Structures are given as C-alpha cells and as structure tokens.
Amino acid sequence: MDKVRIGILGLGNMGTGHARYLIEGRVEGAVLAAVSDVRSERLELAAQEWGTELKLYSTAEELFHSGEVDGVLICTPHYDHPQQAAAALKAGLHVLIEKPAGVYTKQVREMNEAAAQSNKVFGIMYNQRTNPLYAKLRDLITSGELGEVRRTNWIITNWYRSQSYYDSGGWRATWAGEGGGVLLNQDPHQLDLWQWTTGMMPKRVRAFCSFGKHRDIEVENDVTAYVEYENGATGVFVTSTFESPGTNRFEISGERGKIVIENDKMTFWRLRVSETEFNASFKGGFGQPECWKFEIPVSDGGNHMGITQDWVNAILHGTPLLAPGEEGIRGLELSNAMLLSTWTDGWVDLPINEDLFYEKLQERIRSSDKHKDADSYETLDVKGTH
C-alpha cells in the first residue's frame, strides 16, 4: 500500500474540515475516497464541492463494507464513537476517532478491546499532543529536568459560551444529546494533556460540579476538582464556560522548580539544586534554593492534520502513534470521575466504578429535557466548534 484510502464518517464542521485538507492533498500518503452521512443534503453538498469520483454512503455500515477505504475517520456525535469504531475495526479497517473517545468509560473499554483484537491502527484526534508547548513540557518532565512532580494546577476558564450558543441546537448541553458539558465538550484535550505531560493518573478524585450555573442548561458548566497521586503529589483542575475574561494557566511544581504555561508561553523557574538536596543541607533557618528564571523558546501550534498524518504514517510505515486510540479512556475517566464524585458527594477512586457511573448517567438521560432515542443521535451535528 502506498496510499491510504480514507473514508470520513460524519460531515459536520469537524468532518468537513478534515475532508478539505485531505482533498487538497495536504496529508502525504493519503487520499479521501469516500464519505458517509445520514443527511442526504450533506452528501449532495459533498458531491458538488469535491466531485463525483468521491464515493457517498448514507450509512456507516455501507461505508465500512464498501471495499473502497482502508481506514475511517469518525466524526459523529459522542455517543456513537465507540460503537462505530468497534464496527469499523471488526470490518478490517484502520480507525481514527474524533475526541472524546466516548461518553462513559465502560463503552470505551469495549472499543479498546475490539482494537486490541483487530491488529489495525487505532488513533484518536488529540491534536494538542502535536503542540510544541505541551510536547516540550512532557519532555522536561519525563527527562527528569523538573524532578519529581509535586503539584499540578490547571485553570482553564476561557471557554466562554453564551446562552444563545446553547440555544442554537436542541441537543446542546443535554444529557441525552451530548452526555455532558464542559468536561466532555470543551476540556477533553486539557484532561488528556494533564495526564499525558506529567505521565501520572490520579489515584483518587474529589470534585464539585455545578450544573447550569448562570445558564439554562442541564449539564456541568463549572468544575473544581482536587486529585491525589500515588507519589503524594496533589492537583487541582478548574474549568467553566461563563467567566469573561477567562484564564488558561497550567502550572506544574516539581522537585527542581516549576513550569508555567500561559498566554502560549512557557516559563521555567529552575532551582540550582533540588529542593530535597537543599532541605537536607541548609542550616540557615529562613532561606530557599537559588532559582533561575528561563523563558523556554517554544512555538505555538498543534493541528488536526498533524494527527492524521501521524496515523497515516503508522499505517504505511509502522511508526508508533503519538495519540493511540486506547489512551482516550484516560482523560474520559478523569471526566467521569469528576461527575461521579459530585453525584455521590464523595471521593472517587481510580479506576472508577464504571457500572455505577453508567447507572447515574442513565438516570440523568431519562430525566433529560431533550431526551432522544439512540437512533436520533446520529442525525445530530454535534462535532462542530464546541
């Protein structure tokens, strides 16, 4: 194989965006061969814009079994990702899914099991892993430059969303339509980066979520979570969609200093000697280690096309994936744990009780103002700019 024939499932904003750069030939070794959408008008527009050579299918099953594609990029609503990915893998196709991996970890775990049995390349669209800022942060932590991580703090409150945004679609901000709020729609990248850059998942979570705070919506739009790690480190994650102006600041404190990412810049306050060494030898009472401030020169970036290219390279050349699909469950488990902690008003240990989370989620779906049956989800254009 010298070209990967890609099919796109779902032509909402995200699916259309992926299609355009593939049509333009901007991913080496890949060609857009087919698209699928349940809405006939979207298929008609695709034919008009991209030509009649592109194969069009009205169902996922038709695309999966067409013989026209080697892999699929899944850009459908959240609830559909695991089931459709598993079906594509079982049909012998490579799979790249949009974020999030799903709505609840029990379903995503089943998808991961299908991937493990498939011998196919399975990736997830965590495009922020290609961002040089976070790649450098991961390098500084994993190389030991920061020393042992002792505290993490991420304030990400610049997701401002007005009531008119939520009113623009009946499925928006509903348990039945989307399965969650800010944690599932706006924060999947940050929840992934929180654990990916540090190399640590918490051992337990205590969170406080507010639902419909300052907005007429069902789901969470304000979250403060506290986590504890196995090595004794702690962390805080704060997010909302109603603050203006908001903040995006990620701070990691380690044995050899601290790193802060804010305003697309990285600053490293590096200790001349580690805090542990200083504490063991210093006898002067008041005092602290000598500290040097560095502005780390890192360009901003991170794009969807980079993950697609990485996935294609893995298919053609066997290179390791930057964002394996199986890792999508990690950030989702953090999201699920925060909601479950709020619903049960207590600590949640990781791994979470998946059956209990599913039970609690179903209770909210049944009482959702916008309850929809499973078949209706596929018609929703929920993969746009969240």
Side-chain angles (χ1 to χ4, degrees), residues 26-332:
R26 297 167 64 192
V27 174
E28 185 177 352
V31 60
L32 181 63
V35 295
S36 172
D37 199 288
V38 296
R39 298 160 298 179
S40 60
E41 66 272 16
R42 300 298 296 178
L43 295 179
E44 292 170 4
L45 286 172
Q48 293 171 13
E49 184 172 351
W50 300 320
T52 56
E53 291 185 4
L54 187 67
K55 304 297 182 182
L56 309 177
Y57 300 97
S58 58
T59 69
E61 290 72 21
E62 289 176 329
L63 174 60
F64 295 162
H65 298 285
S66 66
E68 297 289 342
V69 298
D70 306 301
V72 291
L73 205 170
I74 297 176
C75 307
T76 49
H78 307 152
Y79 278 104
D80 292 333
H81 293 179
Q83 180 272 326
Q84 291 176 337
L89 290 163
K90 290 176 182 177
L93 300 175
H94 304 287
V95 172
L96 179 61
I97 58 170
E98 260 293 348
K99 59 84 181 168
V103 174
Y104 50 96
T105 57
K106 184 175 182 179
Q107 188 185 34
V108 171
R109 195 172 301 282
E110 294 170 354
M111 173 181 68
N112 287 353
E113 291 170 358
Q117 298 169 7
S118 71
N119 197 33
K120 295 297 178 181
V121 178
F122 175 44
I124 186 168
M125 189 56 73
Y126 278 151
N127 57 285
Q128 284 303 304
R129 291 192 182 190
T130 70
N131 188 323
L133 274 170
Y134 300 109
K136 175 59 70 174
L137 175 61
R138 176 178 164 87
D139 173 58
L140 290 171
I141 293 174
T142 58
S143 68
E145 192 70 25
L146 185 62
E148 181 183 53
V149 173
R150 293 183 168 178
R151 189 186 306 278
T152 66
N153 290 279
W154 204 329
I155 301 175
I156 173 75
T157 58
N158 60 344
W159 298 122
Y160 185 80
R161 298 292 185 270
S162 66
Q163 186 64 48
S164 62
Y165 162 83
Y166 292 118
D167 292 342
S168 66
W171 45 268
R172 283 196 189 277
T174 64
W175 296 112
E178 293 192 289
V182 63
L183 293 172
L184 199 64
N185 285 313
Q186 282 79 41
D187 284 318
H189 289 300
Q190 285 67 43
L191 292 173
D192 172 62
L193 292 171
W194 193 21
Q195 60 81 30
W196 181 72
T197 57
T198 61
M200 303 192 307
M201 283 285 285
K203 66 176 183 179
R204 65 175 190 161
V205 175
R206 182 65 175 101
F208 301 88
C209 301
S210 295
F211 305 92
K213 191 173 186 178
H214 307 302
R215 299 290 185 271
D216 182 19
I217 59 175
E218 298 176 357
V219 295
E220 84 285 351
N221 64 333
D222 182 34
V223 179
T224 299
Y226 170 81
V227 303
E228 294 179 347
Y229 299 95
E230 287 291 347
N231 72 341
T234 61
V236 174
F237 190 87
V238 177
T239 189
S240 75
T241 61
F242 56 78
E243 296 180 47
S244 181
T247 297
N248 185 356
R249 177 185 172 93
F250 188 20
E251 179 175 321
I252 309 93
S253 175
E255 188 183 17
R256 299 194 64 89
K258 72 175 181 180
I259 297 174
V260 174
I261 294 178
E262 189 172 19
N263 298 324
D264 298 325
K265 295 181 179 179
M266 177 185 291
T267 306
F268 188 0
W269 284 265
R270 193 183 192 283
L271 303 183
R272 185 174 184 183
V273 298
S274 75
E275 189 281 329
T276 300
E277 180 183 343
F278 178 85
N279 185 57
S281 60
F282 181 66
K283 305 302 180 184
F286 291 102
Q288 56 183 309
E290 182 178 346
C291 181
W292 303 331
K293 180 181 178 181
F294 298 94
E295 299 293 339
I296 306 296
V298 181
S299 59
D300 189 21
N303 58 64
H304 298 90
M305 191 170 62
I307 290 293
T308 305
Q309 183 69 72
D310 184 72
W311 176 63
V312 169
N313 291 345
I315 295 171
L316 293 177
H317 311 299
T319 52
L321 283 172
L322 177 62
E326 293 86 350
E327 295 183 7
I329 199 170
R330 297 177 185 172
L332 182 64

